[in-house]
Amino acid sequence: MVERPNRSQTDATAGTMTNVKHPPDGLSGGPRRVSVAGDGSRVIFLRPVDGDPACTALWVFDTDSATERLVAAAPVNSYATDADATTAVFTRDGRILRADLVSGRVQQIPASRPAAGARPDPTGAWIGYVHDDTLRVIGPHGDVLLAGEPDPADGGQPHVCWGRPGWWWAPDGRAVLAARADTRARRQEVSLHLLELDGGWVDVHWDRETYPYLASVSWSDHGSPVVAVLRHSQQHGLVLAVDPRTGETQVHAELADPRWVMPVPGTPRHLADGRVLVGGELAHDGYDARCLFADGTLLTPPSLYVRRVVGRMPGSTELLVEATSGEPSEQHLYRVGTSVSAAGIDARRVTATPGWHRAEVGGDTLVIGSESLDHPGRRWTVWRAGVQVGELAPGTTAPTPPAAPRPVLQRATDRRLPTGVLYPGGQITGGRLPVLVDVAGVGSAARGLPQGVRATRAAWLARQWWADAGYAVVVIDFRGTPGVAPSFEKVAHRRLADLALTDLVDALVSLAGKHTDLDLDRVAIRGRGTGGWLAALAALRRPELFRCAVAEAPLVDWARQDPLVAERYLGSADEGPDIYQHHCLLPDAAEPPGTVAAPLLLVPDAATAAPVRDLAAALAGAGRPHTVLPATGPDDDPIDSAWPAELDFLRHHTARSPAAAPS
């Protein structure tokens, strides 16, 4: 039996969700999109106005005076700066605005409208942006077209987009490396081109037929552009150095894995000494980790799961990385040596307190953002030359529950699945509670599977409100989830549905043996995106355990999703159509139910309205119980629109039956 944290009785135990205006995350009012000037003189960030995450303003923290100042009033949804952050550029209503981060002056820049993705070159002399699938630049000669298709009447191709999936300035600001995407096929055909501002044009050459996916691009002042490209199967990739004069490429490293390869964010990149830093996995000789290599030399220890390379430590050749070691619910900062001495690999942890830490770096300035179960929000501290010079003020935070969430985090089953159990405020041991399995997910599987169990208050605030409505909320990171080890994640290749459902069921049984308040006769499951897919799948395939499911904006058919993500988990649809069929909700929905049928509540958004209609039609045709709520728009508040209906649905289907009620 697990001993739960002591909690005082609060009004939250009434099981209502009153006075809640936004889905809580504890981060709504805090700084976001933090960046640091290349010389360390300024920290730039966005801060929500009155705690509204949809309305942010542009701020600067001056490290010399340790003071903040407002530069541009809301709305500023994103921004980009030159190398030393003397200039910031952003768009508003299709217009380009430039902010002088030294004087604070903001002015509109004449440009073709609508403009999107505007950013200055590293020197601050030019501004590039995308307009109607063309790439344009603004400079001394005005607003000029850099790359774009001719008018279709003159032979142009309307399905070609410049600047997608991206474009990158040369370090000296004299050229742009731009992607060109042909969107006619389900898999976009992407090419790369070096475009000089004086009119020169060089195509980048590699075997695009064999390696069609452009995974990452880096162009620093330490060398030529470096790109990573992948096969369709994503089981093999190349790290290529690009000659900016000829467009020819040279193979620096190969990436290979029998399931899939995924470059570590922040890699590949040139180090200061010219070597190429590459991230990859090792799964032999005692290794089961995401590691870093420099020209083939291993830089990180086998215990480290590297999540992102932030940059170079101030005043050092060492790297700053975000990584996990042993405890997947936490993320810490490490400084990693770029050379291996006789003493071996040098990797030292920078952050000491439990939680989830991230960072940005520039010049001699380091900014650390820390989240924890012990405090609300993300706290940003600013360090210069190794000395803390200030903090970024947290701003106005959104309303929070009367009591802070205190989930019980533990590993379950012999597979050591990361789990968390969250109780209502004031819950007294001995009272049997219905269980709500909350499956982490993202819309359209755009970024792959997310990690649900994190040691941060923000991860549990919304779940606490569900708990206070009368549920024991359970979160389980099943196999396929990142953060534990490469083998834990990649074992789900081509069998994600079966392993995920097995892990959910086994973890619930294991947790019930330790948490005696969990009533496994009354289990519900809910999720959004990929989480909505798994919630619906659980109700369709395991209705004897999951009595009902709520699927918000569910992924219905993996064959309709971004191939880059779908093929990572399921392989090629052409080579394994049966695998895609096995992971699709429609065949199960069309099967007549057995003796037990778990009702589904479908909550589509605008993007999933059509596939949810198909799913509802299949359910109706098979006589399966289900309800479909009206599609929500992008600006709808889910608590104000869908959550009350979801709560009514859950309560109705997890109510204790009269025969089971205590006498």
Side-chain angles (χ1 to χ4, degrees):
M1 177 176 172
V2 173
E3 182 179 348
R4 299 199 301 273
N6 246 337
R7 305 176 64 103
S8 60
Q9 185 77 15
T10 72
D11 291 340
T13 60
T16 62
M17 301 177 70
T18 57
N19 299 321
V20 179
K21 292 300 182 185
H22 298 283
D25 62 4
L27 306 176
S28 299
R32 59 191 59 199
R33 297 188 181 270
V34 177
S35 62
V36 185
D39 60 4
S41 60
R42 281 172 290 280
V43 179
I44 307 91
F45 61 96
L46 300 180
R47 174 179 288 133
V49 177
D50 296 328
D52 182 357
C55 184
T56 53
L58 181 65
W59 289 74
V60 163
F61 178 95
D62 293 307
T63 56
D64 287 335
S65 62
T67 57
E68 291 182 0
R69 51 190 172 87
L70 175 66
V71 174
V76 182
N77 297 322
S78 64
Y79 69 91
T81 72
D82 59 344
D84 287 335
T86 59
T87 297
V89 173
F90 57 94
T91 59
R92 179 184 294 165
D93 297 327
R95 298 173 292 122
I96 296 178
L97 290 93
R98 178 170 56 195
D100 187 318
L101 299 180
V102 179
S103 68
R105 183 187 177 209
V106 179
Q107 64 180 120
Q108 182 175 331
I109 304 299
S112 301
R113 296 178 61 180
R119 52 184 181 265
D121 80 283
T123 70
W126 299 79
I127 296 174
Y129 70 99
V130 175
H131 165 69
D132 288 346
D133 296 328
T134 66
L135 189 59
R136 305 183 67 89
V137 293
I138 302 171
H141 305 297
D143 180 9
V144 298
L145 176 69
L146 188 61
E149 297 300 307
D151 188 282
D154 299 325
Q157 303 179 62
H159 47 262
V160 169
C161 305
W162 281 90
R164 193 167 75 183
W167 58 277
W168 302 264
W169 279 109
D172 61 7
R174 296 180 179 178
V176 165
L177 182 61
R180 175 184 182 271
D182 187 330
T183 61
R184 279 176 297 182
R186 177 170 172 261
R187 295 190 184 100
Q188 295 182 4
E189 296 181 8
V190 177
S191 57
L192 269 180
H193 310 268
L194 282 156
L195 312 175
E196 297 178 355
L197 299 190
D198 62 6
W201 179 305
V202 176
D203 297 330
V204 177
H205 303 288
W206 82 92
D207 185 355
R208 293 192 289 117
E209 192 72 27
T210 305
Y211 298 93
Y213 287 143
L214 180 65
S216 62
V217 176
S218 171
W219 197 353
S220 72
D221 53 7
H222 298 307
S224 58
V226 180
V227 303
V229 294
L230 301 176
R231 289 180 180 263
H232 274 311
S233 67
Q234 300 181 56
Q235 296 170 340
H236 193 270
L238 301 176
V239 175
L240 305 172
V242 180
D243 186 332
R245 297 169 300 172
T246 64
E248 297 300 320
T249 55
Q250 176 185 358
V251 177
H252 256 288
E254 293 190 37
L255 308 171
D257 190 280
R259 285 76 53 96
W260 72 79
V261 298
M262 184 184 299
V264 172
T267 70
R269 69 198 300 166
H270 274 107
L271 297 175
D273 59 9
R275 291 180 297 161
V276 175
L277 181 73
V278 176
E281 287 95 7
L282 278 181
H284 58 80
D285 297 333
Y287 281 76
D288 190 7
R290 298 189 80 192
C291 306
L292 296 177
F293 305 84
D295 280 3
T297 300
L298 181 64
L299 301 181
T300 52
S303 60
L304 216 56
Y305 182 102
V306 178
R307 296 178 182 266
R308 183 173 81 103
V309 176
V310 180
R312 192 170 62 184
M313 284 293 293
S316 170
T317 60
E318 295 177 311
L319 297 172
L320 180 67
V321 305
E322 297 167 353
T324 292
S325 180
E327 178 47 64
S329 67
E330 297 185 9
Q331 173 176 285
H332 288 275
L333 302 177
Y334 291 80
R335 52 192 310 158
V336 175
T338 55
S339 60
V340 179
S341 64
I345 292 171
D346 180 19
R348 289 164 288 161
R349 203 167 99 174
V350 175
T351 47
T353 58
W356 198 271
H357 305 272
R358 64 193 65 197
E360 299 297 337
V361 66
D364 59 354
T365 296
L366 168 66
V367 185
I368 300 176
S370 300
E371 299 174 62
S372 169
L373 286 169
D374 297 325
H375 63 78
R378 183 181 299 138
R379 296 178 177 175
W380 290 95
T381 55
V382 182
W383 301 74
R384 192 166 193 188
V387 177
Q388 184 175 340
V389 296
E391 298 182 2
L392 304 184
T396 304
T397 58
T400 58
R406 288 294 177 185
V408 179
L409 306 184
Q410 61 192 118
R411 308 291 275 272
T413 79
D414 57 355
R415 296 183 289 279
R416 292 184 51 76
L417 305 171
T419 68
V421 180
L422 187 64
Y423 290 94
Q427 167 70 11
I428 300 173
T429 301
R432 301 280 281 171
L433 289 170
V435 177
L436 177 60
V437 179
D438 186 72
V439 187
V442 291
S444 303
R447 296 179 297 277
L449 298 176
Q451 186 175 338
V453 182
R454 293 193 181 191
T456 70
R457 189 172 295 186
W460 298 93
L461 282 176
R463 294 165 179 162
Q464 184 64 60
W465 279 322
W466 287 103
D468 290 340
Y471 290 89
V473 177
V474 175
V475 182
I476 301 162
D477 280 344
F478 46 85
R479 284 171 290 177
T481 304
V484 178
S487 63
F488 184 90
E489 183 177 0
K490 295 183 177 183
V491 70
H493 185 58
R494 292 176 175 261
R495 51 182 184 151
L496 176 62
D498 294 336
L499 295 190
L501 286 179
T502 297
D503 287 349
L504 291 183
V505 173
D506 291 351
L508 281 172
V509 173
S510 174
L511 290 171
K514 302 172 183 177
H515 297 258
T516 56
D517 291 353
L518 303 188
D519 187 350
L520 294 194
D521 289 330
R522 297 187 292 155
V523 178
I525 185 170
R526 70 181 295 274
R528 182 175 183 85
T530 51
W533 162 76
L534 187 55
L537 199 68
L540 291 169
R541 295 187 182 176
R542 299 301 300 265
E544 76 285 353
L545 176 60
F546 299 99
R547 289 180 55 170
C548 64
V550 174
E552 293 183 350
L555 189 167
V556 173
D557 184 357
W558 284 79
R560 295 183 180 181
Q561 302 308 307
D562 180 358
L564 182 62
V565 176
E567 291 172 353
R568 181 189 310 161
Y569 295 105
L570 306 186
S572 169
D574 297 332
E575 297 174 2
D578 55 323
I579 296 173
Y580 278 75
Q581 187 79 348
H582 183 64
H583 284 75
C584 181
L585 296 179
L586 297 175
D588 289 276
E591 285 290 324
T595 56
V596 179
L600 277 78
L601 177 64
L602 306 178
V603 189
D605 59 9
T608 58
V612 165
R613 279 197 300 269
D614 295 341
L615 178 59
L619 292 167
R624 288 183 174 271
H626 69 284
T627 303
V628 182
L629 294 184
T632 58
D635 299 324
D636 286 347
D637 188 326
I639 288 181
D640 289 341
S641 57
W643 281 23
E646 292 182 25
L647 182 58
D648 289 342
F649 173 85
L650 292 171
R651 282 176 168 164
H652 176 72
H653 292 290
T654 58
R656 191 189 301 270
S657 63
S663 57

